[in-house]
Amino acid sequence: MMTRTLYRIFFCLATVAIITTANGQNRKKSRRNTPAPVFVEPRFNTIDSLISEYRFSDAKTIIEEDTEQAKDNIEATNKLLALTEKATLGENMLNATEKIIVIDSLVADKEQILNFLNFDNNCGKIITSQQIKEKLNLKQTPHGLGFINGFEDHIIFCRAGKGGKVSLVESFLYGNNWSQPSELAGLDDGEGIQGFPFLMTDGTTLYFASKTTTSLGGYDIYSTRFNSDTKSYLKPQNVGMPFNSLYNDYLMVYDEVNQLGWFVSDRRQPNGKVCIYIFIPSQTRQTLNNTDDVRNKALLISIKDTQKGHEKDVANALQRLHNINKKENDNKNNYTLCIDISYGVRYTDLNQFKNKEARSLASELIVEKNKLTQLNKLLNENRKKYDECKTEAERKALSPMILRQEKELDLKNLQIKDLENKIRRLENKQN
């Protein structure tokens, strides 16, 4: 009896062991057959397409969905995070798109844009790196274009530094000597690349382009103001759309005399080309209403759309632009070259020059002589107005302008004299 009982117990235990082993093997087999999670590539092409169309909200929706699926892939997650930041910045800028009136646009070689920025000399000038180098007597050629104010006593330009950083620097004319270039206070701790400066006639409002990790495109245009109390510039503000885009937006210029503005962008242009937009500056910033076709106007798909309801303003602005261009062409043809190179040797034609650099400077001399003629004309007109003033208030209003023009005239004469001496030295050296 005892033997039979022990046998039954042994049989039950053996059965349990067999079943347990089988179940374990089945579980292992089941685990081996379970497929690993499949990584689904985020829809980067779709996201890029939506962002390029300024459909930032739709892009953010897809990014959120794909981020959840790609959470275990660090590379994809980081890329989606960068796209989120870009879409968010674009969405914020789109919602604050400024209402502007573009009167014209033209496509030009990037290296030739100075030929198409014919704004009033009292607003300053955009100058080349070579001109800056010669004027300040620098050993190294500066980076890109610079700016000199209407008084020609303040230059802002770009200087390359360590680690690929390019910063804005400035130099002032004291007497006959330019100060050592120094970085602009308040803008000297920024990252990336700064360039393409333009200072308004108030001497405090500065526009420039900057290429940083927080830009919407490559270069974005920023504005800042000089704080006379702290002696530094305030934190720069992105000027927003439609001036900035997903491409490189380089330069903002305001002609306060003729009430015109220019900005330069390579949006939708082939390599090496830029589009120069000419617009009517507004006294106050106006944001587009929700009822407007904000996306198309932010993209500047059609400049005609920006002109609707403003046909008279556009016609007047185009006339002002025509007058500026005509004046510029007249100035180029007013002065006939006449320079004594040495005793008994006088040049009256550019083709007479043997030295290439002297010939180039002679072309510049023609332009500067014409400017001198115009400046003399303006000064004489204002002096005549001053003599005809009937009240002290009228004379007081004209005095600052006359004093400024007299100072500018003296500086222009010195500049021309220096230019002529340099031309003579180069040409005589060649001979």
Side-chain angles (χ1 to χ4, degrees):
M1 186 71 177
M2 180 65 72
T3 302
R4 186 178 298 175
T5 301
L6 290 173
Y7 175 77
R8 288 177 178 173
I9 292 172
F10 175 79
F11 179 78
C12 290
L13 290 173
T15 303
V16 170
I18 292 170
I19 294 172
T20 301
T21 301
N23 288 339
Q25 291 174 344
N26 288 335
R27 281 196 297 272
K28 290 179 181 178
K29 185 176 180 181
S30 176
R31 283 197 296 269
R32 285 196 300 268
N33 292 336
T34 301
V38 177
F39 171 67
V40 179
E41 182 74 21
R43 292 164 284 181
F44 289 124
N45 289 338
T46 302
I47 294 169
D48 288 339
S49 178
L50 290 171
I51 289 177
S52 69
E53 297 170 3
Y54 285 17
R55 293 168 60 187
F56 300 110
S57 181
D58 294 340
K60 287 172 68 177
T61 300
I62 293 180
I63 291 171
E64 289 175 5
E65 295 172 356
D66 288 4
T67 299
E68 179 62 29
Q69 294 183 8
K71 60 185 178 182
D72 294 327
N73 188 297
I74 297 176
E75 183 180 352
T77 300
N78 289 338
K79 190 173 180 181
L80 288 167
L81 178 62
L83 287 170
T84 300
E85 294 173 352
K86 187 172 186 176
T88 301
L89 175 62
E91 186 175 38
N92 292 337
M93 290 173 66
L94 182 66
N95 292 334
T97 299
E98 184 174 351
K99 183 177 182 179
I100 67 169
I101 304 170
V102 181
I103 65 168
D104 201 1
S105 67
L106 58 96
V107 175
D109 291 336
K110 184 182 175 182
E111 303 301 324
Q112 301 296 322
I113 60 174
L114 294 187
N115 295 333
F116 304 96
L117 300 176
N118 296 328
F119 54 94
D120 193 275
N121 290 331
N122 290 307
C123 301
K125 289 187 295 185
I126 305 296
I127 54 179
T128 66
S129 57
Q130 185 62 33
Q131 289 174 314
I132 298 168
K133 181 182 179 181
E134 292 175 358
K135 189 173 286 290
L136 301 184
N137 196 25
L138 301 175
K139 293 181 179 179
Q140 294 184 334
T141 303
H143 184 91
L145 299 175
F147 172 82
I148 185 168
N149 66 346
F151 294 112
E152 298 197 358
D153 60 3
H154 185 192
I155 293 178
I156 303 176
F157 62 100
C158 320
R159 183 173 63 187
K162 296 180 180 179
K165 180 181 177 182
V166 178
S167 303
L168 291 175
V169 296
E170 61 185 350
S171 179
F172 295 90
L173 181 65
Y174 298 109
N176 294 324
N177 299 313
W178 287 93
S179 66
Q180 193 69 19
S182 60
E183 291 190 359
L184 274 64
L187 305 182
D188 51 2
D189 57 351
E191 61 171 4
I193 299 174
Q194 298 172 345
F196 304 95
F198 179 84
L199 187 67
M200 299 280 280
T201 55
D202 61 10
T204 62
T205 306
L206 175 69
Y207 290 89
F208 66 98
S210 183
K211 189 176 185 179
T212 70
T213 55
T214 58
S215 301
L216 180 64
Y219 281 98
D220 275 8
I221 300 173
Y222 291 82
S223 68
T224 180
R225 290 179 63 83
F226 184 77
N227 187 325
S228 57
D229 294 329
T230 62
K231 305 299 180 185
S232 65
Y233 284 91
L234 302 174
K235 182 180 179 181
Q237 301 296 317
N238 191 306
V239 299
M241 296 176 181
F243 303 110
N244 286 325
S245 67
L246 295 168
Y247 299 85
N248 290 302
D249 304 290
Y250 296 108
L251 179 65
M252 181 83 84
V253 171
Y254 281 97
D255 182 340
E256 296 169 271
V257 176
N258 295 291
Q259 287 299 299
L260 292 172
W262 289 257
F263 69 96
V264 182
S265 172
D266 67 7
R267 65 187 75 183
R268 300 186 293 275
Q269 299 301 321
N271 187 37
K273 297 285 187 178
V274 294
C275 186
I276 302 172
Y277 295 89
I278 309 166
F279 66 100
I280 303 175
S282 58
Q283 298 299 320
T284 56
R285 193 182 196 281
Q286 299 181 54
T287 303
L288 287 170
N289 298 321
N290 293 331
T291 54
D292 293 315
D293 189 359
V294 178
R295 276 200 301 119
N296 282 341
K297 289 184 177 178
L299 284 161
L300 282 179
I301 297 297
S302 169
I303 64 173
K304 286 290 185 184
D305 287 345
T306 72
Q307 301 173 0
K308 291 178 180 178
H310 304 281
E311 287 76 9
K312 186 176 180 180
D313 293 330
V314 171
N316 291 335
L318 285 171
Q319 184 60 53
R320 295 197 298 274
L321 180 63
H322 171 75
N323 293 340
I324 293 172
N325 292 333
K326 183 177 183 299
K327 182 179 178 181
E328 183 69 17
N329 290 330
D330 290 343
N331 286 343
K332 289 179 180 178
N333 299 320
N334 281 341
Y335 173 73
T336 302
L337 179 67
C338 182
I339 180 171
D340 293 321
I341 298 300
S342 60
Y343 183 77
V345 179
R346 175 175 292 178
Y347 286 4
T348 57
D349 193 290
L350 291 175
N351 292 326
Q352 291 177 266
F353 286 92
K354 300 178 180 65
N355 184 282
K356 185 177 180 181
E357 187 178 355
R359 188 186 305 118
S360 176
L361 291 176
S363 297
E364 186 178 335
L365 177 65
I366 294 173
V367 174
E368 296 305 321
K369 285 275 192 176
N370 284 322
K371 290 178 180 178
L372 181 67
T373 301
Q374 293 298 318
L375 185 57
N376 265 313
K377 182 179 178 182
L378 287 172
L379 180 57
N380 289 331
E381 287 175 355
N382 285 327
R383 282 172 173 167
K384 184 178 179 181
K385 288 179 183 178
Y386 185 89
D387 292 337
E388 295 173 351
C389 286
K390 296 180 179 180
T391 66
E392 185 62 29
E394 290 176 336
R395 283 190 287 271
K396 190 175 181 180
L398 272 174
S399 290
M401 183 181 296
I402 292 173
L403 290 172
R404 179 173 65 82
Q405 288 174 341
E406 287 174 341
K407 180 181 178 182
E408 190 175 347
L409 187 66
D410 290 339
L411 290 172
K412 184 65 67 180
N413 278 314
L414 285 173
Q415 180 185 356
I416 287 174
K417 185 178 179 180
D418 290 342
L419 192 57
E420 288 176 335
N421 288 335
K422 190 168 185 178
I423 291 170
R424 291 187 186 99
R425 286 195 300 271
L426 288 167
E427 188 64 16
N428 286 323
K429 185 178 179 181
Q430 183 73 34
N431 294 331

